[in-house]
Amino acid sequence: MEGKARNAPALLFLSLTCVFLSLCTPTLSTSPQFQTLTINPLPEKPTLSWADTEPESETQTLSDSTSSEASTTISLSVQLHHLDALSSDKTPQDLFNSRLTRDASRVRSLTSLAAAVGRTNGTRARGPGFSSSVISGLAQGSGEYFTRLGVGTPARYVFMVLDTGSDVVWIQCAPCKKCYSQTDPVFDPTKSRSFANIPCGSPLCRRLDSPGCNTKKQVCVYQVSYGDGSFTYGEFSTETLTFRGNRVGRVALGCGHDNEGLFVGAAGLLGLGRGRLSFPSQIGRRFNRKFSYCLVDRSASSKPSSMVFGDSAISRTARFTPLVSNPKLDTFYYVELLGISVGGTRVPGITASLFKLDSTGNGGVIIDSGTSVTRLTRPAYMALRNAFRVGASNLKTGTGILIV
C-alpha cells in the first residue's frame, strides 16, 4: 500500500457488527454521527453438521427477475458462517498467517481493479424480503464468509462464498476440466430440471464484461478473472436458487468447468456487489433493493448469523452512513470516512481528504465482506499506529505481535 497508496481505496472490514446496504445512493448527511465498536472475546470452536437437502414443503417461488411485471416482495434470509467454523486442525497462529496471506492477495485484486478503472475515462415493490445463513469459512482455509443455499431443481445444498466486492454469481459444474477442492459434491447441471443455458447474443450475455460464445452449442460463455490470479470459466446460464425454502427463479450464473484460485471449500460465489449482474441487482425489485448481514466472529461461532434481503433487513434502530458512488466503477460499496478515534479521542492528522474518492475513480473507502484486515493509506495508518502506541503504553506487547 506504499508509493501510490493515496490513490488506492482503503478497505474497511466490519467484524462483530451488522451492515445494512442499499443499491441506491442516498444524499450525504450534513451532521455525521459516531458510534463506538466493542471487541468481544472469541467463543470456543463449534462442531458443525449439515444436511445435504432441506425440506421443500412450504416453499415459495420468485418468478423470473428479468420480467417487467410488478410483483410483491417476499422475505428471504440465510444464515452467515465464517469459514473458521469449518476447520479445527490448525493452530491460531497458522490461521492468522494464512488469513493475512489471502487478505493481501484480495487487496491486490481490488486495488488493481480500481486503479485500472481510474486510468480509463422507477416504482419498487415493497415487502418483508428473504434471508440466508452466514458461516465462517476459515476451517476450509478460506478467508471469506460462506452461506448455504440450494442450487437447481431439486435443490442441491452447497456452500457459497459471500462477496460484496464482485458481481457475477458462479458455481463449479460437472464435467470439470479443472476444479478446486470443495466440501460438497460438484453441481451437475444435467440433474437439474431448472437449469438453462443462455444463448449467444442475448441481453443477459451482453451484460458480461467479456462475453464469449460456444459456437458449437450456441451458448453464452463467461470468464471472470481476479487480481490474485483466481479465475472461473464456463457457460453462462440461468438456474433456481433456494434460500430457506424460498426459491428464486432464473438467476443468471456461471456454470464453471475450469476454476482455479483461492475459493477453497465453497462450491462457488454469490456476487453481492453493485454491478448489474450481481445477485442483489438481478432481483433487486423483489426486495426493494435492500439487504443486510451480521457477521459471526472468525473463531466460528456455533450459532450462525444471518443475511436478510428486503425491507425487514433494516432495523428501526439502525444508524446509517451514506453510500458513495464511483463514477468509473459500479461494483464496490464506497463510504465516506471522516476520521478515526482512539480511546474516544479523534486522531490528529487523519482527515476526510485522505480517503476522498475523486472524479477519476481513485481513492475512496470500500466496504468488503471478503477482506479480513482493515487497510489504510499510509499517512492515516502511521497516525493511527502512533495514537494506539500512546494509548497502550501501559500494556505489555504480546509475543509475535509486530506494529510497524
Side-chain angles (χ1 to χ4, degrees):
M1 301 296 287
E2 297 184 22
K4 296 183 179 179
R6 188 186 183 283
N7 291 327
L11 301 179
L12 185 58
F13 178 82
L14 302 183
S15 181
L16 301 177
T17 186
C18 297
V19 178
F20 303 90
L21 298 176
S22 171
L23 300 182
C24 304
T25 303
T27 305
L28 294 177
S29 173
T30 56
S31 56
Q33 298 178 324
F34 303 90
Q35 185 171 359
T36 300
L37 299 181
T38 303
I39 299 178
N40 298 316
L42 300 179
E44 297 297 324
K45 294 181 178 179
T47 300
L48 297 180
S49 62
W50 298 95
D52 291 333
T53 60
E54 293 185 4
E56 294 193 5
S57 59
E58 300 182 1
T59 299
Q60 188 167 0
T61 302
L62 280 72
S63 59
D64 179 13
S65 61
T66 62
S67 169
S68 61
E69 296 180 7
S71 60
T72 303
T73 311
I74 67 168
S75 176
L76 292 182
S77 67
V78 291
Q79 290 183 325
L80 303 182
H81 305 261
H82 192 268
L83 56 85
D84 293 14
L86 305 178
S87 174
S88 59
D89 58 346
K90 297 180 181 180
T91 67
Q93 187 64 44
D94 289 338
L95 295 175
F96 180 72
N97 291 338
S98 62
R99 185 183 308 149
L100 290 181
T101 300
R102 293 189 307 267
D103 210 55
S105 296
R106 176 159 181 102
V107 170
R108 286 194 297 270
S109 171
L110 298 182
T111 55
S112 63
L113 177 58
V117 173
R119 290 191 295 267
T120 63
N121 293 308
T123 300
R124 296 172 296 185
R126 301 186 63 82
F130 59 95
S131 67
S132 184
S133 63
V134 178
I135 65 170
S136 166
L138 184 60
Q140 296 297 324
S142 172
E144 287 80 17
Y145 284 87
F146 292 170
T147 189
R148 193 160 179 85
L149 54 83
V151 181
T153 307
R156 308 290 181 180
Y157 282 82
V158 296
F159 288 114
M160 298 280 280
V161 171
L162 298 174
D163 187 14
T164 60
S166 66
D167 297 322
V168 176
V169 182
W170 59 269
I171 186 172
Q172 294 200 118
C173 281
C176 279
K177 177 180 179 182
K178 187 171 184 179
C179 288
Y180 58 81
S181 175
Q182 66 177 61
T183 302
D184 303 290
V186 174
F187 177 71
D188 186 348
T190 64
K191 296 181 179 179
S192 171
R193 298 191 303 272
S194 51
F195 180 87
N197 288 122
I198 295 174
C200 299
S202 70
L204 276 176
C205 189
R206 290 195 297 267
R207 290 184 186 180
L208 291 166
D209 290 336
S210 301
C213 180
N214 182 325
T215 55
K216 184 177 181 179
K217 297 182 179 179
Q218 284 299 307
V219 298
C220 183
V221 174
Y222 82 101
Q223 177 172 331
V224 179
S225 299
Y226 301 89
D228 58 9
S230 303
F231 70 86
T232 175
Y233 172 86
E235 299 164 350
F236 202 45
S237 314
T238 60
E239 184 55 286
T240 295
L241 302 182
T242 303
F243 299 82
R244 290 178 172 171
N246 293 285
R247 288 197 296 262
V248 183
R250 298 196 65 185
V251 176
L253 54 78
C255 185
H257 301 291
D258 189 353
N259 318 285
E260 299 181 33
L262 302 178
F263 306 103
V264 178
L269 183 145
L270 187 68
L272 298 174
R274 302 180 78 179
R276 55 185 181 176
L277 280 178
S278 73
F279 179 72
S281 295
Q282 286 192 57
I283 66 165
R285 68 187 185 86
R286 298 287 178 178
F287 55 86
N288 204 14
R289 298 170 63 84
K290 300 174 183 176
F291 73 95
S292 67
Y293 57 86
C294 286
L295 301 178
V296 297
D297 60 64
R298 300 186 186 287
S299 69
S301 169
S302 58
K303 294 182 179 180
S305 56
S306 292
M307 176 173 60
V308 181
F309 295 85
D311 290 335
S312 57
I314 309 302
S315 167
R316 293 184 178 181
T317 59
R319 302 174 70 178
F320 299 89
T321 188
L323 292 177
V324 180
S325 291
N326 185 338
K328 302 295 184 179
L329 185 63
D330 60 1
T331 294
F332 298 147
Y333 294 93
Y334 287 89
V335 294
E336 183 182 32
L337 182 59
L338 303 177
I340 298 175
S341 297
V342 174
T345 302
R346 289 287 291 271
V347 178
I350 298 183
T351 61
S353 62
L354 293 177
F355 311 105
K356 184 176 179 59
L357 178 65
D358 64 29
S359 59
T360 66
N362 289 321
V365 177
I366 297 170
I367 295 288
D368 178 34
S369 64
T371 305
S372 302
V373 178
T374 297
R375 294 171 183 256
L376 304 171
T377 185
R378 188 166 183 79
Y381 174 79
M382 298 292 286
L384 175 61
R385 181 201 64 180
N386 295 338
F388 179 82
R389 281 177 168 173
V390 172
S393 59
N394 62 328
L395 300 178
K396 183 179 179 180
T397 303
T399 303
I401 301 299
L402 175 64
I403 301 180
V404 296

